[in-house]
CSV table of all heavy atoms in Angstrom, one decimal:
chain,number,residue,atom,x,y,z
T,1,PHE,N,0.8,-1.2,0.0
T,1,PHE,CA,0.0,0.0,0.0
T,1,PHE,C,0.9,1.3,0.0
T,1,PHE,O,0.6,2.2,-0.8
T,1,PHE,CB,-1.0,0.0,1.3
T,1,PHE,CG,-1.5,1.4,1.4
T,1,PHE,CD1,-2.5,1.8,0.5
T,1,PHE,CD2,-1.0,2.3,2.3
T,1,PHE,CE1,-3.0,3.1,0.7
T,1,PHE,CE2,-1.5,3.6,2.5
T,1,PHE,CZ,-2.5,4.0,1.7
T,2,LEU,N,1.9,1.3,0.8
T,2,LEU,CA,2.7,2.5,1.0
T,2,LEU,C,3.4,2.7,-0.3
T,2,LEU,O,3.6,3.9,-0.8
T,2,LEU,CB,3.7,2.3,2.1
T,2,LEU,CG,4.6,3.5,2.4
T,2,LEU,CD1,3.8,4.9,2.6
T,2,LEU,CD2,5.6,3.3,3.4
T,3,ALA,N,4.0,1.7,-1.0
T,3,ALA,CA,4.6,1.9,-2.3
T,3,ALA,C,3.7,2.4,-3.3
T,3,ALA,O,4.1,3.3,-4.0
T,3,ALA,CB,5.2,0.5,-2.8
T,4,GLU,N,2.5,2.0,-3.4
T,4,GLU,CA,1.5,2.6,-4.2
T,4,GLU,C,1.2,3.9,-4.0
T,4,GLU,O,1.2,4.9,-4.8
T,4,GLU,CB,0.2,1.8,-4.2
T,4,GLU,CG,-0.9,2.2,-5.1
T,4,GLU,CD,-2.2,1.5,-4.9
T,4,GLU,OE1,-2.2,0.3,-4.5
T,4,GLU,OE2,-3.3,2.1,-5.3
T,5,ALA,N,1.0,4.3,-2.7
T,5,ALA,CA,0.7,5.7,-2.2
T,5,ALA,C,1.8,6.6,-2.5
T,5,ALA,O,1.6,7.7,-3.0
T,5,ALA,CB,0.3,5.7,-0.8
T,6,ALA,N,3.0,6.2,-2.2
T,6,ALA,CA,4.2,7.0,-2.5
T,6,ALA,C,4.4,7.2,-4.0
T,6,ALA,O,4.7,8.3,-4.4
T,6,ALA,CB,5.4,6.3,-1.9
T,7,THR,N,4.2,6.2,-4.8
T,7,THR,CA,4.3,6.4,-6.2
T,7,THR,C,3.3,7.4,-6.7
T,7,THR,O,3.5,8.2,-7.6
T,7,THR,CB,4.1,5.0,-7.0
T,7,THR,OG1,5.1,4.2,-6.5
T,7,THR,CG2,4.2,5.1,-8.5
T,8,ASN,N,2.0,7.3,-6.3
T,8,ASN,CA,1.0,8.1,-6.7
T,8,ASN,C,1.3,9.7,-6.2
T,8,ASN,O,0.9,10.6,-6.8
T,8,ASN,CB,-0.4,7.7,-6.0
T,8,ASN,CG,-0.9,6.5,-6.7
T,8,ASN,OD1,-0.5,6.1,-7.8
T,8,ASN,ND2,-1.8,5.8,-6.0
T,9,ALA,N,2.1,9.7,-5.1
T,9,ALA,CA,2.4,11.0,-4.6
T,9,ALA,C,3.7,11.6,-5.3
T,9,ALA,O,4.1,12.7,-5.0
T,9,ALA,CB,2.7,11.0,-3.1
T,10,GLY,N,4.3,10.8,-6.3
T,10,GLY,CA,5.4,11.3,-7.1
T,10,GLY,C,6.8,10.8,-6.6
T,10,GLY,O,7.8,11.3,-7.2
T,11,TYR,N,6.8,9.9,-5.7
T,11,TYR,CA,8.1,9.3,-5.3
T,11,TYR,C,8.4,8.1,-6.1
T,11,TYR,O,7.6,7.2,-6.3
T,11,TYR,CB,8.1,8.9,-3.8
T,11,TYR,CG,7.8,10.0,-2.9
T,11,TYR,CD1,6.5,10.3,-2.4
T,11,TYR,CD2,8.8,10.8,-2.4
T,11,TYR,CE1,6.3,11.3,-1.5
T,11,TYR,CE2,8.7,11.9,-1.5
T,11,TYR,CZ,7.4,12.2,-1.0
T,11,TYR,OH,7.2,13.2,-0.2
T,12,ASP,N,9.6,7.9,-6.6
T,12,ASP,CA,10.1,6.7,-7.3
T,12,ASP,C,10.7,5.9,-6.3
T,12,ASP,O,11.9,6.1,-5.9
T,12,ASP,CB,11.1,7.1,-8.4
T,12,ASP,CG,11.5,5.8,-9.2
T,12,ASP,OD1,11.1,4.7,-8.8
T,12,ASP,OD2,12.0,6.0,-10.3
T,13,VAL,N,10.0,4.9,-5.7
T,13,VAL,CA,10.5,4.2,-4.5
T,13,VAL,C,11.2,2.8,-4.9
T,13,VAL,O,11.4,2.0,-4.0
T,13,VAL,CB,9.3,3.9,-3.5
T,13,VAL,CG1,8.9,5.3,-2.8
T,13,VAL,CG2,8.2,3.2,-4.1
T,14,ARG,N,11.4,2.7,-6.2
T,14,ARG,CA,12.2,1.5,-6.6
T,14,ARG,C,13.6,1.6,-5.9
T,14,ARG,O,14.1,2.8,-5.7
T,14,ARG,CB,12.3,1.5,-8.1
T,14,ARG,CG,11.1,1.1,-8.8
T,14,ARG,CD,11.2,1.3,-10.3
T,14,ARG,NE,11.7,2.7,-10.6
T,14,ARG,CZ,12.2,3.0,-11.8
T,14,ARG,NH1,12.2,2.1,-12.7
T,14,ARG,NH2,12.5,4.3,-12.0
T,15,PRO,N,14.1,0.5,-5.5
T,15,PRO,CA,15.5,0.6,-4.9
T,15,PRO,C,16.5,1.3,-5.7
T,15,PRO,O,16.5,1.3,-7.0
T,15,PRO,CB,15.9,-0.9,-4.8
T,15,PRO,CG,14.6,-1.6,-4.7
T,15,PRO,CD,13.7,-0.9,-5.7
T,16,ARG,N,17.3,2.2,-5.1
T,16,ARG,CA,18.3,3.1,-5.6
T,16,ARG,C,17.8,4.1,-6.7
T,16,ARG,O,18.5,4.6,-7.5
T,16,ARG,CB,19.4,2.2,-6.3
T,16,ARG,CG,20.2,1.4,-5.3
T,16,ARG,CD,21.2,0.4,-5.8
T,16,ARG,NE,20.7,-0.7,-6.5
T,16,ARG,CZ,20.1,-1.8,-5.9
T,16,ARG,NH1,20.0,-1.8,-4.5
T,16,ARG,NH2,19.7,-2.8,-6.5
T,17,ALA,N,16.5,4.4,-6.6
T,17,ALA,CA,16.0,5.4,-7.5
T,17,ALA,C,16.0,6.8,-6.9
T,17,ALA,O,15.7,7.7,-7.6
T,17,ALA,CB,14.6,5.1,-8.0
T,18,GLY,N,16.2,6.9,-5.6
T,18,GLY,CA,16.2,8.2,-4.9
T,18,GLY,C,14.9,8.5,-4.2
T,18,GLY,O,14.9,9.4,-3.3
T,19,GLY,N,13.8,8.0,-4.6
T,19,GLY,CA,12.5,8.3,-4.0
T,19,GLY,C,12.4,7.8,-2.6
T,19,GLY,O,11.7,8.5,-1.8
T,20,ARG,N,13.0,6.8,-2.2
T,20,ARG,CA,13.0,6.3,-0.8
T,20,ARG,C,13.6,7.3,0.1
T,20,ARG,O,13.0,7.6,1.2
T,20,ARG,CB,13.7,5.0,-0.7
T,20,ARG,CG,12.9,3.8,-1.4
T,20,ARG,CD,13.6,2.5,-1.3
T,20,ARG,NE,12.7,1.5,-2.0
T,20,ARG,CZ,12.6,0.3,-1.5
T,20,ARG,NH1,13.2,-0.2,-0.4
T,20,ARG,NH2,11.8,-0.6,-2.2
T,21,LYS,N,14.8,7.9,-0.3
T,21,LYS,CA,15.4,8.8,0.6
T,21,LYS,C,14.5,10.1,0.7
T,21,LYS,O,14.4,10.7,1.7
T,21,LYS,CB,16.8,9.2,0.0
T,21,LYS,CG,17.5,10.1,0.8
T,21,LYS,CD,18.9,10.5,0.3
T,21,LYS,CE,19.6,11.4,1.1
T,21,LYS,NZ,20.8,11.9,0.6
T,22,GLN,N,13.9,10.5,-0.4
T,22,GLN,CA,13.1,11.7,-0.4
T,22,GLN,C,11.9,11.5,0.4
T,22,GLN,O,11.5,12.4,1.2
T,22,GLN,CB,12.6,12.1,-1.9
T,22,GLN,CG,13.7,12.5,-2.8
T,22,GLN,CD,13.3,12.5,-4.3
T,22,GLN,OE1,12.3,11.9,-4.6
T,22,GLN,NE2,14.0,13.3,-5.1
T,23,LEU,N,11.3,10.3,0.4
T,23,LEU,CA,10.1,10.0,1.2
T,23,LEU,C,10.5,10.0,2.7
T,23,LEU,O,9.9,10.5,3.5
T,23,LEU,CB,9.6,8.6,0.8
T,23,LEU,CG,8.4,8.2,1.7
T,23,LEU,CD1,7.2,9.1,1.7
T,23,LEU,CD2,7.9,6.8,1.2
T,24,ALA,N,11.7,9.4,3.0
T,24,ALA,CA,12.2,9.4,4.4
T,24,ALA,C,12.4,10.8,4.9
T,24,ALA,O,12.0,11.1,6.0
T,24,ALA,CB,13.5,8.7,4.4
T,25,GLU,N,13.0,11.7,4.0
T,25,GLU,CA,13.2,13.1,4.5
T,25,GLU,C,11.9,13.8,4.6
T,25,GLU,O,11.6,14.5,5.7
T,25,GLU,CB,14.0,13.8,3.4
T,25,GLU,CG,15.4,13.4,3.5
T,25,GLU,CD,16.3,13.9,2.4
T,25,GLU,OE1,15.7,14.7,1.5
T,25,GLU,OE2,17.6,13.6,2.3
T,26,ALA,N,10.9,13.6,3.8
T,26,ALA,CA,9.5,14.2,3.9
T,26,ALA,C,8.8,13.8,5.1
T,26,ALA,O,8.1,14.5,5.8
T,26,ALA,CB,8.7,14.0,2.6
């Protein structure tokens, strides 16, 4: 669910894509 919600919010949460770090900071 979180991966889907994060992707819908504009985060690229695939490993090493940078979105995980951005989500963590946000």
Side-chain angles (χ1 to χ4, degrees):
F1 165 75
L2 182 60
E4 178 185 335
T7 299
N8 291 341
Y11 297 99
D12 185 348
V13 293
R14 293 174 298 169
R16 293 176 288 288
R20 290 177 179 220
K21 182 178 180 188
Q22 292 170 339
L23 177 58
E25 290 171 357

